[in-house]
């Protein structure tokens, strides 16, 4: 069990912040280590520029930083001030936390890599976001990715498949039973 779930301190820290902002967080628990590793397994690892939408307390950040090489970069976008304060304490020269709304970050993805980013990972609760904003985020993310880039969305339902498939040519759906509660990992590839 030790490698599967997080420490009680991590869980309580997340729970306290998430409960105060449930409408935007959409969950009370951070991703498990196993789920974070499953997400990271779909990412490029060498000299990659990766952006995460909704980094929370850094659960998936940790797994991504374990996977990417020393020349890769990870940007964590987070609008909750308390989660952002936690992210700011992550001391890794490859990681940058940005206190920003995802809809704005998505429009400006190329500010992180002029030719487009290699991957975007998203744990934001799309089901709680208005349809027009959801569509803009998907379209802007597609435009901000380089050819061959991936958009990875993890959610409790595969409902985002249709929106992703409307712009990405291929979208794989993976079920991840080792998260609490289990979720789906959708991997959309830009050709
Ligand atoms: C389901 S939690 C995921 C947290 C973390 N990535 C994990 O897997 O444990 C969603 C996170 O997205 C953030 N979030 C939701 N909507 C956002 C938005 N529009 N802009 C920036 N962050 C957002 C929330 O504050 C929360 O930290």
């Amino acid at each position: 069990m030790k490698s599967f779930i997080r420490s009680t301190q991590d869980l309580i820290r997340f729970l306290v912040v998430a409960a105060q902002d449930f409408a935007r967080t959409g969950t009370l628990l951070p991703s498990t280590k196993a789920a974070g590793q499953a997400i990271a397994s779909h990412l490029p690892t060498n000299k990659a520029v990766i952006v995460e939408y909704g980094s929370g307390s850094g659960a998936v950040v940790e797994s991504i930083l374990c996977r990417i090489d020393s020349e890769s970069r990870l940007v964590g976008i987070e609008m909750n001030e308390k989660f952002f304060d936690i992210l700011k304490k992550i001391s890794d020269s490859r990681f940058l936390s940005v206190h920003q709304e995802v809809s704005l970050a998505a429009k400006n993805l190329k500010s992180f890599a002029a030719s487009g980013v290699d991957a975007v990972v998203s744990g934001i609760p799309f089901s709680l976001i208005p349809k027009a904003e959801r569509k803009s985020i998907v379209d802007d993310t597609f435009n901000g990715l380089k050819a061959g880039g991936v958009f990875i969305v993890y959610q409790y339902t595969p409902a985002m498949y249709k929106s992703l498939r409307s712009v990405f040519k291929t979208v794989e759906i993976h079920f991840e039973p080792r998260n609490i509660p289990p979720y789906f990992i959708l991997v959309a590839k830009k050709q």
Side-chain angles (χ1 to χ4, degrees):
M1 286 300 276
K2 214 172 173 186
S3 63
F4 183 73
I5 59 168
R6 298 189 176 279
S7 70
T8 309
Q9 194 191 357
D10 281 353
L11 295 178
I12 292 173
R13 188 177 63 166
F14 189 95
L15 175 73
V16 168
V17 180
Q20 292 165 355
D21 192 15
F22 187 73
R24 306 299 293 271
T25 309
T27 184
L28 291 174
L29 293 171
S31 292
T32 60
K33 288 186 184 179
Q37 286 160 4
I39 291 163
S41 73
H42 297 286
L43 292 169
T45 55
N46 303 323
K47 292 186 184 173
V49 178
I50 299 166
V51 176
E52 185 189 18
Y53 296 162
S55 293
S57 58
V60 175
V61 167
E62 179 188 313
S63 300
I64 297 174
L65 290 175
C66 282
R67 182 166 160 82
I68 58 177
D69 71 1
S70 60
E71 291 182 74
S72 294
R73 297 284 173 265
L74 172 62
V75 181
I77 308 295
E78 178 55 58
M79 56 90 205
N80 181 298
E81 217 162 297
K82 289 179 182 154
F83 280 140
F84 179 63
D85 284 343
I86 295 172
L87 294 171
K88 274 194 300 192
K89 295 190 181 108
I90 295 176
S91 163
D92 187 310
S93 57
R94 298 168 300 167
F95 180 66
L96 171 72
S97 51
V98 178
H99 188 212
Q100 199 171 63
E101 279 285 334
V102 161
S103 46
L104 183 61
K107 286 195 193 320
N108 295 314
L109 276 181
K110 287 193 175 164
S111 66
F112 303 117
S115 56
V117 301
D118 296 275
V120 176
V121 175
S122 175
I124 63 168
F126 275 112
S127 54
L128 303 177
I129 294 176
K131 200 174 167 186
E133 187 181 340
R134 212 158 59 205
K135 182 173 169 17
S136 298
I137 293 172
V138 171
D139 290 350
D140 291 338
T141 301
F142 180 86
N143 292 331
L145 282 168
K146 63 164 65 156
V150 286
F151 184 24
I152 300 177
V153 174
Y154 53 99
Q155 303 270 271
Y156 297 127
T157 77
M160 276 300 286
Y161 178 85
K162 217 174 145 190
S163 309
L164 292 171
R165 197 58 190 78
S166 68
V167 281
F168 290 87
K169 207 162 181 184
T170 62
V171 181
E172 294 167 6
I173 304 180
H174 302 267
F175 180 62
E176 180 45 68
R178 296 167 299 169
N179 195 59
I180 307 169
Y183 55 42
F184 292 86
I185 300 172
L186 282 72
V187 182
K189 289 198 178 118
K190 180 170 175 175
Q191 303 295 307

